[in-house]
Amino acid sequence: MTPPADAALQPQWQRLSPRMLLVHPVHEVLQQIPLLIGAVVLGSATGNQGWTIAAIVLTVGVGLARWFTTGYRIEPDEVQLRTGLLQRKVLSVPRNRIRSVSTDARLLHRLLGLTVLRISTGQEAKGDTEFALDAVEAQQVPRLRAILLADTVPVAEAPAGRELARWQPSWLRYSPLSFTGLAMIAAAVGVIYQAGVGAALGNSDLAQSGIAAAERLGVLVSVVVGVLAVLVASVVLSVLRSLLTYGNLVLRRDSDVLHLQHGLLRLREHTYDMRRMRGGSLREPLLVRAFGGARLDAVMTGVGGEGEASLLLPPCPAATARTVLAELIGNPGVVGTALVGHGPAAARRRWTRALALPALVGAAMLVVAVPVWAWVLWALLVGCAGLLAADRARSLGHLVRDGWLVAGAGSLERRRDHLETAGIIGWTVRQTYFQRRAGVATLIAATAAGEKRYAVMDVPAAQAWSVAAAASPWVADNRWAEDPAGPELR
Amino acid sequence: MKLIDPAQRPSRKAPLVWALSAAVPWAVLCLGQLIWFAIDFRIPWLHAVAALVTVLGAVLFIAVVPMWRYRVHRWDINVASGTPAVYTRTGWLVQERRIAPISRVQTVDTYRGPLDRLFGLTNVTVTTASSAGAVRIVALDDDVAERVVAQLTDIAAIGEQDAT
């Protein structure tokens, strides 16, 4: 392929933005905090603050040196990134393997007008093997992106395309229903105690007056107040985080390129090659589903399936998520249609699993005499388990239609995966001992995209290969295939 | 529609090799228990329970599981008719049948551990672009494995259409 004539294509090493001379030392200092604390302690212990100064100078020096030792080069066939202070390392990525380009600007980067540019290929890349230009000036990004994606995406500089979705303030209503707030509180408490501040807090006036107040109010009231305070804090934190992360989210499609941009403080931008798109997953955690919400994830080669990497839409009205998904996969019929259920055996397995724990607890309670209120709690538990089983049985299903495979499962974390059958490169029929006895099997479609394995849970064993063959005709195109009416039917 | 099971079995030596490789960790555990028995014998019933668990585990994993796996394990390659594909059945308690078209194969690797070498066995791994799609044909006789690898690399237009 002939690369466009551009100054950036001259095969010479280029430095990252000189403004990184400000950022690198700060990052280095932040990373080496334990070392610096050690140096301060050593300095005060020996009465010679020279140690502290030496440590700081060294850290800042290393930070500065990073800029001088990092370079990148865009060649006709590949892009290279050269890094390392003591261990020199060159990372090369063939340009025709570039699947997506994303940018990420944290607060410090944004203040300086910088942004981190990441290149993703079909391979899993983490840590050392990740190709990240940290950082280039924000004005350069569109140009670099166009150059980098020129090989894979023909019209990267297409006129602004159609907007698929834009963040609405009403989407915030789904965010209090997540556990991110609680997780943040737990993390903060952990850090405080790790740093040894906990002991200091315990002796402070604030804590003493708090304990005194709790003694006046009594145990029950103080517990209730405490739980309420944590809940309110968690809701506020969740909403705040959601607002800062997804506020101003815009999902746009320009012919073969999908642009996702979000973040109020930390600005993130992803550019996906639509031809690598193999489908999408709708995720509806129970609490989000209760308010009619859903989250949309992309199933795409070169984009990891878990966490935030594949996120296209955060929890938003389910109708919006479905419309966008239908638009992306160009097949509205697949997104809305009810799934084919998996029959009584699969449903029975949901029930036995959900009720096994309550049954055990009940048996134990029969042996050990327990007060009446414990039985009330047990009845509640049984009720919840029953609802869970019914819901799990209801969401279980699959659909093969027009070159798409759809699999649904789960209740607390309900999901519906839509996978293009052309992207399936292998099938597995998996049966545990209990599945063999129940006459069901889990059918797993292997693909290069997203989570790599998409399971259709507890299909009746006799139908498993038929489903696979309906999705991928090559499954039936060999000498092992056999019609049910065939002579060797067992 | 259903698929009949693949026809080929692993090497006849496979159960023996599997049993031996399972025997090594259990032997170490046994030895550890004997040492414990020799130096400290204050709680006899604990020794008895530990010995029972070890014996049961060893019998299961050295005698039962290798035979069970040998009965389950099958493999086959389809080249003559239709879409060339590789098809295996593996496992014992959890059993898997896996099929992958050879056109999507990325690499064909062989692995021979120390015990495999001693008994002339080879494990063949056929990888595709999906980490969930690798097909493993374990415990083949060396000459069979050689043939399989040659056959697979011959048909596979490796790197051409891996669906990434």
Side-chain angles (χ1 to χ4, degrees), chain A residues 97 99 276 301 425-431 433 436 447 452-453 466 469 474 477-480 482, chain B residues 1-4 76-78 82-83 87 92-99 101 104 130-132 163-164:
Chain A
R97 283 278 166 186
R99 298 290 183 255
R276 304 292 165 188
T301 313
I425 52 179
W427 286 94
T428 305
V429 173
R430 189 170 188 276
Q431 283 184 300
Y433 174 72
R436 286 201 292 279
T447 169
K452 314 278 189 199
R453 70 194 290 286
S466 315
W474 56 262
D477 184 24
N478 52 46
R479 63 189 150 86
W480 306 300
E482 189 176 72
Chain B
M1 207 282 290
K2 63 174 281 184
L3 293 191
I4 55 166
D76 214 343
I77 295 171
N78 180 56
T83 314
Y87 179 33
W92 48 288
L93 205 57
V94 176
Q95 298 181 4
E96 283 191 350
R97 283 152 225 250
R98 182 169 288 182
I99 186 166
R104 295 297 169 79
S130 167
S131 53
T164 55

Side-chain angles (χ1 to χ4, degrees), chain A residues 130-195:
Chain A
E130 186 189 55
F131 194 103
L133 300 181
D134 183 4
V136 292
E137 273 145 52
Q139 306 95 285
Q140 287 193 15
V141 167
R143 194 177 59 87
L144 278 174
R145 178 184 289 140
I147 295 167
L148 290 171
L149 285 176
D151 267 14
T152 33
V153 184
V155 270
E157 283 300 309
R162 228 156 43 73
E163 193 175 287
L164 294 176
R166 179 176 283 273
W167 187 83
Q168 309 284 333
S170 63
W171 292 10
L172 277 179
R173 69 172 181 271
Y174 303 109
S175 45
L177 310 172
S178 75
F179 293 106
T180 46
L182 278 182
M184 281 159 81
I185 292 174
V189 170
V191 167
I192 286 172
Y193 273 85
Q194 283 267 305

